[in-house]
């Protein structure tokens, strides 16, 4: 595995607002970028530098090119990206700016143009656009940010680690959105005393913590083998016992009389179950703890009659 760089969102205090943006008077253009958030920020800078509104903004790897139009590809410029990221605080507060990063991670099909329209609206408005829910783009940005928050919260709750022979705790996830950049801080703080790896099977990269820092990593698979395959011989010999203990704990804290499968599935969707230890087939049949006092109906009735 090798470390790769991913953008991170850094909150900053809001600066005085100075709305205003150059008029986009040039003919619209199609833009492509490398698929990173910094690359998209570079495209935003280019749009106002060239005065050409975007007809489309697409990652270069998956761009659909027309027969007569050649898209303008923009190489990522970290300095320009940082300049745009800092400059956004002149038109919106840090919370709204962070919301744009969450929209990017949502992987919505129209996320690039949605971010551009939101930024353009903020630049041309003398008031805070974050509360302008009459605007469809503002409502959509807010909705995607809320969905990202829920997915982040679920990943922080539903990740289940398995211990390997070399003392590494491994977990595989398949979130609907790209939440790894958002959950890195949570797991780094919570499991700071152990090495761990969280792998996103859908996006083919992961987070690796080596007791000192957390890196974003991707795997180079050998020929004929999937990057997500983990041999059973790699796991610690006590791992089946850990799994059994967790299942027993889950069964005994459960209250059958309060079972509500519909509510359960709403808070723990089915798509997560295949990675949850407590949802795997039981090797040992569950037997409830016999710690309830027997009901004494006849004796009580007889006692009441004696008192009478």
């Amino acid at each position: 595995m090798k470390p790769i760089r991913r953008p991170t969102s850094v909150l900053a205090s809001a600066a005085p607002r100075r709305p205003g943006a150059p008029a986009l008077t040039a003919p619209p253009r199609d833009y492509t970028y490398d698929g990173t958030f910094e690359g998209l920020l570079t495209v935003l800078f280019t749009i106002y530098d060239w005065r050409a509104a975007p007809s489309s903004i697409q990652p270069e790897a998956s761009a659909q090119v027309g027969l007569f139009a050649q898209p303008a590809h923009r190489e990522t410029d970290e300095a320009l990206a940082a300049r745009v990221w800092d400059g956004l605080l002149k038109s919106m507060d840090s919370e709204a700016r962070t919301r744009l990063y969450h929209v990017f991670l949502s992987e919505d099909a129209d996320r690039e143009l949605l971010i551009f329209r939101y930024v353009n609206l903020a630049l041309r408005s003398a008031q805070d656009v974050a509360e302008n829910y009459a605007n469809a783009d503002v409502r959509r940005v807010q909705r995607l940010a809320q969905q990202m928050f829920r997915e982040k919260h679920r990943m922080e709750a539903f990740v289940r680690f398995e211990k390997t022979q070399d003392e590494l705790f491994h977990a595989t996830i398949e979130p609907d959105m790209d939440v790894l950049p958002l959950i890195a801080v949570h797991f780094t703080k919570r499991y700071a005393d152990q090495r761990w790896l969280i792998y996103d099977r859908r996006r083919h990269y992961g987070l690796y913590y080596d007791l000192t820092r957390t890196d974003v990593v991707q795997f180079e698979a050998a020929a004929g083998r999937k990057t997500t395959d983990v041999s059973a011989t790699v796991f610690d010999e006590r791992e089946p016992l850990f799994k059994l203990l967790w299942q027993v704990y889950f069964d005994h804290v459960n209250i059958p009389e309060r079972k509500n499968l519909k509510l359960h599935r709403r808070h723990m969707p089915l798509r997560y179950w295949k990675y949850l230890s407590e949802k795997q087939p039981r090797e040992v049949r569950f037997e409830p703890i016999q710690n309830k006092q027997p009901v004494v109906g006849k004796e009580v009735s007889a006692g009441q009659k004696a008192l009478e």
Side-chain angles (χ1 to χ4, degrees):
M1 58 185 179
K2 63 177 182 178
I4 58 176
R5 297 187 73 257
R6 278 291 177 98
T8 56
S9 61
V10 180
L11 298 180
S13 58
R17 297 185 180 176
R18 293 180 297 176
L24 304 179
T25 55
R29 300 285 300 268
D30 294 311
Y31 298 90
T32 60
Y33 69 110
D34 61 2
T36 66
F37 187 62
E38 291 178 336
L40 178 58
L41 293 178
T42 303
V43 170
L44 292 180
F45 179 89
T46 304
I47 289 172
Y48 293 102
D49 185 44
W50 290 0
R51 308 293 198 272
S55 297
S56 67
I57 306 175
Q58 305 177 75
E60 184 181 29
S62 59
Q64 298 180 358
V65 182
L67 294 176
F68 305 103
Q70 185 64 29
H73 179 70
R74 300 300 297 155
E75 295 293 339
T76 298
D77 188 315
E78 295 184 3
L80 290 181
R83 178 178 170 184
V84 172
W85 185 244
D86 294 336
L88 289 177
L89 290 177
K90 299 176 182 178
S91 301
M92 64 184 70
D93 57 31
S94 60
E95 183 178 351
R97 187 183 67 165
T98 302
R99 203 174 295 141
L100 294 180
Y101 180 57
H102 293 176
V103 170
F104 178 81
L105 294 177
S106 73
E107 299 179 336
D108 183 82
D110 192 36
R111 60 179 179 172
E112 293 91 355
L113 287 178
L114 177 60
I115 290 174
F116 161 73
R117 292 195 297 267
Y118 189 95
V119 169
N120 192 59
L121 179 65
L123 291 175
R124 302 183 188 283
S125 176
Q127 299 179 349
D128 184 6
V129 298
E131 304 297 329
N132 183 16
Y133 294 115
N135 184 277
D137 291 327
V138 174
R139 294 196 305 271
R140 190 174 178 187
V141 166
Q142 179 69 20
R143 183 169 62 253
L144 288 173
Q146 290 175 344
Q147 293 174 359
M148 173 61 73
F149 175 81
R150 285 195 296 268
E151 192 75 352
K152 171 183 176 293
H153 177 71
R154 286 169 175 168
M155 285 298 100
E156 292 174 348
F158 297 154
V159 167
R160 298 291 184 265
F161 288 100
E162 295 177 298
K163 189 177 182 181
T164 63
Q165 295 178 2
D166 62 350
E167 303 293 325
L168 174 69
F169 289 85
H170 172 273
T172 302
I173 62 175
E174 281 187 80
D176 287 346
M177 300 178 176
D178 187 8
V179 298
L180 281 186
L182 303 183
I183 66 176
V185 174
H186 170 82
F187 284 98
T188 300
K189 291 181 178 179
R190 185 171 183 180
Y191 301 105
D193 60 342
Q194 58 194 40
R195 294 169 53 244
W196 51 262
L197 170 69
I198 303 176
Y199 183 76
D200 188 335
R201 185 174 183 178
R202 179 176 297 182
R203 294 161 188 86
H204 309 296
Y205 83 99
L207 297 174
Y208 172 65
Y209 175 70
D210 62 358
L211 298 179
T212 58
R213 55 179 291 177
T214 302
D215 286 318
V216 178
V217 297
Q218 64 181 9
F219 292 87
E220 297 177 353
R225 178 170 178 173
K226 297 181 180 179
T227 58
T228 56
D229 292 341
V230 179
S231 173
T233 60
V234 173
F235 292 117
D236 187 283
E237 61 182 3
R238 296 168 296 176
E239 182 57 36
L241 175 60
F242 298 152
K243 179 179 178 180
L244 176 60
L245 291 175
W246 178 253
Q247 290 178 341
V248 171
Y249 166 79
F250 180 82
D251 287 337
H252 284 292
V253 298
N254 184 37
I255 304 176
E257 293 80 4
R258 297 185 179 180
K259 184 176 181 179
N260 186 334
L261 190 57
K262 182 178 180 181
L263 180 64
H264 181 66
R265 288 179 175 177
R266 189 174 72 184
H267 291 286
M268 185 183 289
L270 284 170
R271 64 179 181 272
Y272 301 120
W273 287 19
K274 60 182 175 180
Y275 296 120
L276 299 178
S277 301
E278 61 269 29
K279 293 301 182 181
Q280 304 311 307
R282 300 295 195 263
E283 297 180 4
V284 178
R285 183 177 179 180
F286 169 66
E287 295 291 343
I289 299 176
Q290 302 298 331
N291 61 349
K292 295 184 178 180
Q293 297 295 329
V295 178
V296 285
K298 294 184 178 180
E299 292 76 6
V300 171
S301 299
Q304 289 178 348
K305 290 182 178 180
L307 290 176
E308 294 175 354

